[in-house]
Amino acid sequence: MGTLDSMATPRDTTRRPDALTLEVVELIGEVVARFHADYEEAAAERALTGAQAKLLSLLSLEPLPMRKLAQKLKCEPSNVTGIVDRLEARGLVERRPDPGDRRVKVAAATEEGRRVARGLRESLRFAREPLAGLSEGERVALRDALRLMVGEGSPEG
């Protein structure tokens, strides 16, 4: 075992970031802002709020209990109930018993809800042209870097 001086120490997060890191952070911020603006516009075209569109997109992937939806949306379960109620009234979402615990209800996208969510994803325009300008290898590298940043482990996984 080495001395205290030779042992690894946590990264010093008090140092000022270098110019490249600052530029990357600014570019990520711009991408996020453009994505949100495009997403809100695409949602509005379908008479959905941003929160409704996000919830519908989540449910188009898999049915989820209200508590899990609230965690993913970072809001209170009572807010999720209201959003699900409005989407259910439009025939985009339904409540059903959880197959693993029939006492629990899950929200699930209906076929129409999955169609609307698919249309929403396909209508996002801001990145389509810039991404089309990248080679497949560049898109794979970008995807892998983003996966690492959001903590999804190794790029291959």
Side-chain angles (χ1 to χ4, degrees), residues 13-76:
T13 57
T14 59
R15 285 196 337 241
R16 294 177 53 79
D18 61 88
L20 177 59
T21 299
L22 288 173
E23 183 180 5
V24 169
V25 168
E26 288 296 319
L27 289 168
I28 290 171
E30 181 64 23
V31 166
V32 168
R34 288 183 186 189
F35 174 81
H36 281 296
D38 201 25
Y39 198 83
E40 291 288 331
E41 184 180 320
E45 288 170 1
R46 289 156 181 80
L48 296 169
T49 65
Q52 289 172 339
K54 187 170 183 181
L55 187 143
L56 185 60
S57 292
L58 287 171
L59 293 179
S60 72
L61 302 174
E62 63 177 328
L64 292 167
M66 299 295 191
R67 186 170 306 286
K68 179 82 87 172
L69 277 169
Q71 289 170 345
K72 288 183 176 278
L73 294 173
K74 295 178 178 45
C75 68
E76 293 297 316

Side-chain angles (χ1 to χ4, degrees), residues 78-92:
S78 60
N79 292 346
V80 170
T81 300
I83 296 169
V84 168
D85 287 345
R86 289 185 285 286
L87 292 173
E88 190 173 34
R90 290 184 54 187
L92 302 175

Side-chain angles (χ1 to χ4, degrees), residues 17 26 34 50-51 58 79 85 89 93 97 105-106 111 122 132 136 141 151:
E26 288 296 319
R34 288 183 186 189
L58 287 171
N79 292 346
D85 287 345
V93 167
K105 294 276 190 204
V106 296
E111 186 58 42
E122 291 170 358
E136 182 176 352

Side-chain angles (χ1 to χ4, degrees), residues 79-136:
N79 292 346
V80 170
T81 300
I83 296 169
V84 168
D85 287 345
R86 289 185 285 286
L87 292 173
E88 190 173 34
R90 290 184 54 187
L92 302 175
V93 167
E94 63 187 7
R95 287 176 170 91
R96 32 171 113 134
D98 184 335
D101 183 350
R102 301 197 61 80
R103 297 169 296 172
V104 175
K105 294 276 190 204
V106 296
T110 62
E111 186 58 42
E112 176 66 6
R114 286 188 294 278
R115 187 190 66 72
V116 169
R118 188 171 40 255
L120 186 64
R121 280 190 301 275
E122 291 170 358
S123 71
L124 296 177
R125 297 175 285 275
F126 97 92
R128 188 175 297 143
E129 191 174 310
L131 286 174
L134 299 177
S135 70
E136 182 176 352

